[in-house]
Amino acid sequence: MLLYFITCVSFFLFLKPLLSLKPLPSWASEVRLISLSLESISQLFRNQFLVGLLYQIHTRMSLGKKTLHSSKVENVEDTQDMSVLDLPELVLECILERLPPDSLCQMAGVCRSLRERCVSDYLWERHMKQKWGRVIGPVAFREWKWHVASKRSVGSARHGKQRNFMRLVSFSWPFSWMRVKVDANNSIKQFSSLPNDSVMAWYLALESGNFWFPAQVYNRENGHVGFMLSCYDAELSYDPHTDTFQARYPPHGRRAVSIEHGIPWERLRAPPVDTPPHDLHISDCLNDLRPSDHIEIQWRRNKEFPYGWWYGVVGHLESCDGNENYCLCKSSDTVVLEFNQYTSDSRWRRTSISRKDHREEGNEADGFYGGIRKIENEISIWKHLWPSEVLD
C-alpha cells in the first residue's frame, strides 16, 4: 500500500511541470487552420464557387502580418504572397485531375501557367473517354482529324484563333469570369490560341454541338416499326440544352435526308466495325457460328440503300430437332438465321445463308443480306430494345 502511494505521488510530481506549460500564442490556431485548409483544398476545388474564387487567390493571397510575442523578443513577420502554384507539383496535378470540364475551363483563365496545365491532353482524355467514349469511335476520330486539317488549310489569323477559342468556351460555359477577360479593345490578354487538334478542342466542339460526328442509332426514326431492332449509320450533333442528339440519316434511294431529334444516349453507339454503310462487311465468323449464337447482319431494302445492322440469332435446320446430342447444324454449309421479333409466319422471320461462299444474298422483294458479325457484349442492349409486341 505504501509502495502504491509513493508511486502515485511521484507520477503527480512528474506531471506538474507539464501541466503548468504556458498556453500557445494566439497565432498558433491560425497556423492550424492554414494546415487544415491545405489538406482539404483538393475537395474544395470541386465547388465551382471556390474555383472561381481561385483567380483572386492567385492574384494576391496575403498571409497578413502576425505579431509574435515572447518573453524576450518581439518579432513582426513580413507580408508574404502565396500562390496556388506554390503547391507541390503532384498536389496541383491531383487537384486538376479531379476538376470537371467547366472548372478546368475556368482555371485556364487564371494565368498562363495554369492555362498550359488545364488544356493538356492528359487531363482532357479522361473526360473524353468518360462522357463520349461509348459513342465516339475511330471513324469519328478520323472525321475530326479531317475537320482540323480543313480548318488549317483555310487558315486564320492568330487573333482570330483566340477569339474562336473564347467563343467556343463561352458557348458551353458562359460564366461571368470569362466576360471579364475580354477588354474593350476586343483583345484577349490572358489566352493564347488553343491548338485545333487538342483533345480539349475536340471535347468542346462535341459539347457545343458544333461538330457533327458519325455514329450509329438504334431503332432509328423514333422506333419506327420498320426499323425495330436495327442500327443505322448517321451524323450526330449534341444538344447541350436537352442532353440529347439530333441525327441526319443519308438519303435512301429517292428519299431525301431524314432528320431525327431528341435521341437519348442509350440509343447511340460507336460503329463496331470500320465498314462504310454502303459497303459489304467481310464476315470472319461464319465457320464459328453455332445454333443460339447472337449475331448482327447487314440488310438493305435495295442496292441503292445503305446497310443497317439487324439483330438475330443462329437457328437450327428444319431437319434438326434441336437436340444437342444429335445436332449437326454446326457442320452444315447452310446457316439458318432467325429474327424472333417477327411472328412465326412472317417472311422476315427466317433466312439462310451459305457458310462457305457468303457474299450478298437476297432479292428486290425481300431485301439483301450482307455481312455478319457475332456479338456478345451487345446482347443486353438488344434485349433492352426488344419491342413490346411481336412484329408482323
Side-chain angles (χ1 to χ4, degrees):
M1 185 68 177
L2 179 62
L3 180 62
Y4 176 76
F5 176 75
I6 293 173
T7 304
C8 292
V9 171
S10 302
F11 182 72
F12 175 77
L13 293 176
F14 174 76
L15 287 180
K16 184 177 180 181
L18 298 178
L19 295 175
S20 62
L21 288 177
K22 296 181 179 180
L24 293 174
S26 60
W27 53 264
S29 60
E30 299 179 13
V31 174
R32 288 197 298 268
L33 290 176
I34 292 175
S35 176
L36 290 174
S37 63
L38 289 177
E39 292 176 1
S40 60
I41 192 171
S42 176
Q43 180 178 0
L44 292 178
F45 272 121
R46 297 179 185 178
N47 189 293
Q48 291 186 358
F49 172 77
L50 292 174
V51 174
L53 191 63
L54 184 61
Y55 172 71
Q56 301 177 7
I57 296 176
H58 174 78
T59 304
R60 183 180 180 90
M61 187 174 72
S62 176
L63 294 178
K65 293 183 178 180
K66 299 181 180 65
T67 304
L68 301 179
H69 298 279
S70 65
S71 60
K72 296 182 179 180
V73 183
E74 179 177 293
N75 294 330
V76 180
E77 292 186 355
D78 294 335
T79 302
Q80 299 179 4
D81 289 338
M82 180 179 178
S83 169
V84 69
L85 296 176
D86 294 331
L87 292 172
E89 190 69 23
L90 181 59
V91 174
L92 181 57
E93 181 178 334
C94 291
I95 293 173
L96 296 179
E97 286 179 353
R98 286 162 173 77
L99 290 180
D102 54 347
S103 296
L104 276 178
C105 287
Q106 294 184 58
M107 290 283 284
V110 174
C111 67
R112 178 174 299 177
S113 180
L114 284 175
R115 180 178 64 250
E116 292 175 354
R117 289 175 168 85
C118 292
V119 303
S120 67
D121 289 349
Y122 169 76
L123 292 176
W124 286 91
E125 282 173 354
R126 182 175 65 87
H127 294 297
M128 176 66 74
K129 182 178 181 180
Q130 182 178 357
K131 181 168 184 178
W132 297 94
R134 194 173 66 85
V135 299
I136 294 294
V139 178
F141 182 72
R142 286 200 305 268
E143 185 71 18
W144 170 251
K145 288 296 185 182
W146 179 87
H147 176 74
V148 171
S150 63
K151 291 182 65 176
R152 285 177 176 173
S153 62
V154 173
S156 60
R158 175 183 176 84
H159 179 67
K161 291 181 180 179
Q162 292 175 336
R163 294 193 57 176
N164 182 64
F165 168 56
M166 283 298 297
R167 183 170 60 251
L168 184 60
V169 175
S170 61
F171 179 84
S172 300
W173 296 289
F175 295 101
S176 59
W177 66 270
M178 288 184 179
R179 294 193 292 269
V180 178
K181 288 297 176 184
V182 184
D183 62 12
N185 297 324
N186 290 327
S187 62
I188 302 173
K189 297 180 179 180
Q190 299 293 336
F191 283 88
S192 61
S193 59
L194 179 69
N196 289 330
D197 59 350
S198 67
V199 180
M200 179 181 179
W202 189 18
Y203 185 98
L204 296 181
L206 290 168
E207 190 76 15
S208 64
N210 293 335
F211 176 63
W212 289 76
F213 61 95
Q216 292 182 348
V217 182
Y218 291 102
N219 293 353
R220 58 171 287 180
E221 299 185 23
N222 296 311
H224 188 279
V225 65
F227 298 102
M228 292 298 292
L229 293 190
S230 68
C231 199
Y232 275 80
D233 289 87
E235 288 186 332
L236 279 300
S237 174
Y238 179 65
D239 183 355
H241 302 291
T242 61
D243 192 30
T244 59
F245 296 82
Q246 59 176 327
R248 296 189 303 212
Y249 300 102
H252 288 187
R254 298 179 181 179
R255 185 178 179 182
V257 175
S258 177
I259 299 179
E260 181 181 354
H261 299 276
I263 303 174
W265 286 85
E266 55 266 22
R267 285 181 52 207
L268 299 181
R269 75 175 183 184
V273 293
D274 193 6
T275 304
H278 285 274
D279 293 354
L280 178 69
H281 173 68
I282 304 302
S283 307
D284 57 0
C285 64
L286 293 175
N287 293 329
D288 300 328
L289 293 180
R290 304 290 186 270
S292 301
D293 284 346
H294 298 256
I295 57 96
E296 292 179 8
I297 185 170
Q298 289 178 309
W299 182 87
R300 57 181 174 179
R301 171 67 69 178
N302 58 54
K303 297 195 174 184
E304 294 181 358
F305 281 44
Y307 285 111
W309 289 95
W310 293 74
Y311 171 71
V313 295
V314 178
H316 291 272
L317 298 171
E318 293 184 358
S319 57
C320 179
D321 61 0
N323 190 323
E324 295 182 358
N325 297 325
Y326 302 99
C327 179
L328 301 177
C329 298
K330 59 184 179 182
S331 59
S332 173
D333 291 340
T334 301
V335 179
V336 176
L337 304 178
E338 296 181 345
F339 305 93
N340 296 323
Q341 64 268 34
Y342 294 100
T343 58
S344 58
D345 58 347
S346 172
R347 60 174 177 164
W348 311 110
R349 176 66 179 243
R350 289 168 60 95
T351 190
S352 59
I353 60 173
S354 173
R355 190 188 297 269
K356 288 185 176 181
D357 56 354
H358 172 65
R359 290 293 183 266
E360 184 181 58
E361 301 179 11
N363 52 60
E364 294 291 339
D366 298 331
F368 295 86
Y369 295 89
I372 299 178
R373 53 183 298 264
K374 184 179 178 179
I375 63 173
E376 293 181 0
N377 298 330
E378 299 93 335
I379 297 175
S380 60
I381 299 177
W382 289 113
K383 294 295 186 181
H384 177 72
L385 297 171
W386 197 269
S388 57
E389 298 179 357
V390 181
L391 308 177
D392 293 330

